[in-house]
Amino acid sequence: MQKLRQTINQVFESSGKYQRAGHFLDALLITIIMINVVAIVLESVHSIATEYYNEFLMLELVSVAIFSAEYLIRAWTCVDRVKYASMDCSNTQKRIRYILSPLAIIDLIAILPSLLMFFFALDLRFLRVLRLLRVFKLTRYSRAMQLLLQAFIDESSSLLAAFFIMAVVLILASCGIYLLEHDIQPDKFGSIPAAMWWAMATLTTVGYGDVVPITPIGKLFGGIITLVSMGMVAIPTGLLASSFSEQVRKRRQLFEDATHEQITDGKLSDEQLHHLEDLRYKLGLSKLEANKAIKAELNKRSSHLFCRHCGKRP
């Protein structure tokens, strides 16, 4: 049973000799997710939903069965993943930690609305829309999405600080425009919560134009808030961009370090190439980037060996 579990884990993780089978499984699941997203969108059209009701229901049943099986299998085999195998705790505790991980929660969200719809009499329209959250399952199969998710995690404290500052500025802007405009436009700025709509649209630089200050002092205040908002919006954007770039740099450096360790005598064996290809896929690097790193390391080693043979310093 343990050997079967390890084999299934290698397939789901696209590692070892089951790398090709894992790639095929990922492609199959991605296809099913995209079909589900398109089906949910089309199902919102009443005429289409009525005409193809049985087809949509069958697709939903099959999809929920597949996603549920995937969720349960991943929870069962997670104890053999490198991340959890090294933990000094029981298999039950490892599975609990996996179930509470972000990717496992996304997998659960993908099937939970449909399960609730099948077993409880709830608002079907609301649950159908929630099924669109299934698209977040692509995070597991998209390396770019994983990089972005990791960027959010790494910069979570900085982002919270930025959003806290934005919340303070939002309240100050709402209070300021309320004091300046509520006597002139009581229907639009009659209260601070009502003024928050204008403050939110201004701070995010959207500017819908449905609510605007009309007094000279109100317009001046609005201009100041608009200038402030340009810097406020740039803070979380800059944090994410910087973190995303750092994640890409770390993954490239990790692959270069692995290449340096694998190349010992100026060449790579088939087993070493297979290991590097497996690592390249896990890190989400392109083949061009990987080949460039391998070629650079091979040239460096060849130059080093040549200099040693000639008796010169490299």
Side-chain angles (χ1 to χ4, degrees), residues 18 26 54 69 74 81 119 171 208 213 232 253 263-264 274:
Y18 298 100
D26 288 348
N54 293 330
R74 286 187 183 276
R81 296 177 62 181
F119 295 104
I171 295 173
Y208 290 109
M232 296 301 301
Q253 185 63 46
I263 300 176
T264 54
H274 182 77

Side-chain angles (χ1 to χ4, degrees), residues 301-312:
R301 288 300 180 93
S302 297
S303 176
H304 181 75
L305 291 174
F306 177 76
C307 291
R308 286 179 59 187
H309 179 73
C310 296
K312 299 178 180 179

Side-chain angles (χ1 to χ4, degrees), residues 14-295:
S14 301
S15 61
K17 61 181 180 180
Y18 298 100
Q19 186 181 66
R20 182 171 297 180
H23 293 174
F24 176 79
L25 178 63
D26 288 348
L28 177 63
L29 291 172
I30 290 172
T31 302
I32 295 174
I33 293 170
M34 297 308 299
I35 291 174
N36 271 262
V37 172
V38 173
I40 293 169
V41 172
L42 293 177
E43 197 176 2
S44 65
V45 181
H46 181 71
S47 58
I48 297 179
T50 303
E51 184 176 356
Y52 298 99
Y53 174 80
N54 293 330
E55 287 79 1
F56 282 128
L57 180 60
M58 182 58 65
L59 174 64
E60 184 63 21
L61 290 172
V62 173
S63 300
V64 171
I66 293 174
F67 293 146
S68 299
E70 180 201 4
Y71 178 78
L72 295 174
I73 291 174
R74 286 187 183 276
W76 177 54
T77 61
C78 70
V79 296
D80 293 311
R81 296 177 62 181
V82 177
K83 178 180 178 180
Y84 298 99
S86 58
M87 291 183 177
D88 186 18
C89 56
S90 65
N91 288 346
T92 301
Q93 291 175 319
K94 293 177 182 178
R95 291 189 174 101
I96 292 175
R97 292 188 180 185
Y98 169 77
I99 290 172
L100 297 177
S101 66
L103 290 178
I105 292 174
I106 290 174
D107 287 342
L108 180 61
I109 291 174
I111 59 176
L112 194 58
S114 296
L115 294 177
L116 292 174
M117 188 171 60
F118 290 145
F119 295 104
F120 300 98
L122 301 174
D123 188 349
L124 298 182
R125 291 174 300 175
F126 176 71
L127 291 177
R128 286 193 185 104
V129 173
L130 281 182
R131 281 157 47 199
L132 278 173
L133 297 176
R134 202 166 286 172
V135 72
F136 286 108
K137 277 181 65 67
L138 292 175
T139 304
R140 181 183 293 280
Y141 315 107
S142 171
R143 306 303 170 186
M145 291 286 287
Q146 290 180 16
L147 282 174
L148 184 60
L149 179 62
Q150 189 61 44
F152 272 105
I153 295 174
D154 291 347
E155 299 296 334
S156 58
S157 59
S158 299
L159 287 172
L160 285 175
F163 285 127
F164 174 76
I165 296 174
M166 292 182 69
V168 172
V169 175
L170 172 67
I171 295 173
L172 293 176
S174 303
C175 294
I177 200 66
Y178 165 74
L179 294 174
L180 297 173
E181 294 285 330
H182 79 280
D183 291 334
I184 307 300
Q185 301 184 79
D187 57 326
K188 296 179 179 178
F189 298 98
S191 64
I192 293 178
M196 283 185 178
W197 170 248
W198 170 86
M200 179 64 72
T202 305
L203 285 173
T204 56
T205 68
V206 175
Y208 290 109
D210 55 338
V211 180
V212 294
I214 58 177
T215 62
I217 188 66
K219 290 180 180 180
L220 177 62
F221 181 78
I224 294 173
I225 295 300
T226 302
L227 293 176
V228 172
S229 68
M230 293 180 181
M232 296 301 301
V233 172
I235 293 176
T237 304
L239 287 173
L240 287 177
S242 176
S243 181
F244 189 88
S245 177
E246 181 64 16
Q247 290 295 326
V248 174
R249 188 197 66 79
K250 286 181 179 179
R251 295 196 175 204
R252 288 174 179 170
Q253 185 63 46
L254 182 61
F255 186 83
E256 291 176 2
D257 292 342
T259 303
H260 179 77
E261 292 177 0
Q262 292 294 322
I263 300 176
T264 54
D265 54 355
K267 58 183 179 180
L268 286 170
S269 64
D270 292 339
E271 183 179 353
Q272 290 172 324
L273 284 172
H274 182 77
H275 173 76
L276 290 176
E277 175 62 19
D278 187 28
L279 180 63
R280 179 199 70 81
Y281 177 77
K282 289 182 178 179
L283 295 177
L285 300 178
S286 67
K287 288 188 176 182
L288 180 62
E289 290 177 308
N291 291 335
K292 184 178 179 180
I294 293 174
K295 186 177 180 180

